[in-house]
Amino acid sequence: MLPLYCAFMNCPHDHSPLEKKEIHRTSVDTCPTCGGMLLAHGQLNQVADPTPGDLEYSTVDLDSAQHADKYGTIHCPRDDSAMVKVDFNVDTSIILDYCRSCQSFWVDGGELARINDEVQQLNEAGTSVPDPLAVRIAQFFWKLPFPH
């Protein structure tokens, strides 16, 4: 099967045209050169290993967006907005780029594997810890289609 190219979107690091790739039955825009991917709102939860809760909400909610990484500020391939740096989880060194405008994430090459490792550790540590009611309510509102 030939890769589909998104002519209007390029990698924010090397400017290669993004290609459609299927991960866990979800079509995502990926860079064939660096392995990075642009995940639309909701797709991080779909491509990461399953876990209770909302990975996107827990990544963005209350984050200072003041994290450094080796790339510096990048621009969203979808709408060219400057993306902010968010901590995937407070106890990890995984820094994701988040577009406040379209609510997408840029995940650098190799970061999805690191996210899945973290999810596995969280699942093992929290198998007996139920979600508090406030978290479930916040997750409901996070999934609504209006900007957060």
Side-chain angles (χ1 to χ4, degrees), residues 1-2 13 30 35 40 46 48 52 67 77 105 114 121 139:
M1 180 169 131
L2 294 173
H13 296 304
T30 63
Q46 295 169 352
H67 307 284
F105 287 93
R114 292 178 60 211
Q121 291 174 11
Q139 290 169 347

Side-chain angles (χ1 to χ4, degrees), residues 13-145:
H13 296 304
D14 61 33
H15 307 291
S16 296
L18 298 183
E19 300 176 355
K20 293 287 186 186
K21 181 178 178 181
E22 189 117 342
I23 302 174
H24 295 244
R25 295 185 301 213
T26 300
S27 180
V28 298
D29 298 302
T30 63
C31 177
T33 307
C34 73
M37 61 185 76
L38 183 68
L39 302 176
H41 180 66
Q43 286 187 323
L44 179 58
N45 292 311
Q46 295 169 352
V47 300
D49 287 346
T51 188
D54 187 325
L55 293 175
E56 291 186 9
Y57 174 79
S58 64
T59 298
V60 175
D61 184 53
L62 302 177
D63 193 280
S64 68
Q66 301 295 317
H67 307 284
D69 70 1
K70 65 182 179 181
Y71 297 109
T73 302
I74 65 170
H75 290 266
C76 178
R78 184 167 284 121
D79 64 18
D80 203 37
S81 298
M83 299 181 92
V84 296
K85 306 291 182 183
V86 293
D87 230 344
F88 170 69
N89 186 358
V90 294
D91 294 330
T92 68
S93 62
I94 304 170
I95 304 298
L96 303 177
D97 296 280
Y98 176 69
C99 179
R100 289 181 171 151
S101 174
C102 70
Q103 300 175 354
S104 61
F105 287 93
W106 179 261
V107 178
D108 292 320
E111 282 182 333
L112 183 58
R114 292 178 60 211
I115 288 170
N116 286 333
D117 289 343
E118 179 68 19
V119 165
Q120 181 180 8
Q121 291 174 11
L122 291 171
N123 286 342
E124 290 169 0
T127 54
S128 63
V129 179
D131 279 347
L133 179 60
V135 171
R136 289 183 294 197
I137 292 169
Q139 290 169 347
F140 169 77
F141 284 109
W142 179 255
K143 292 177 184 175
L144 294 176

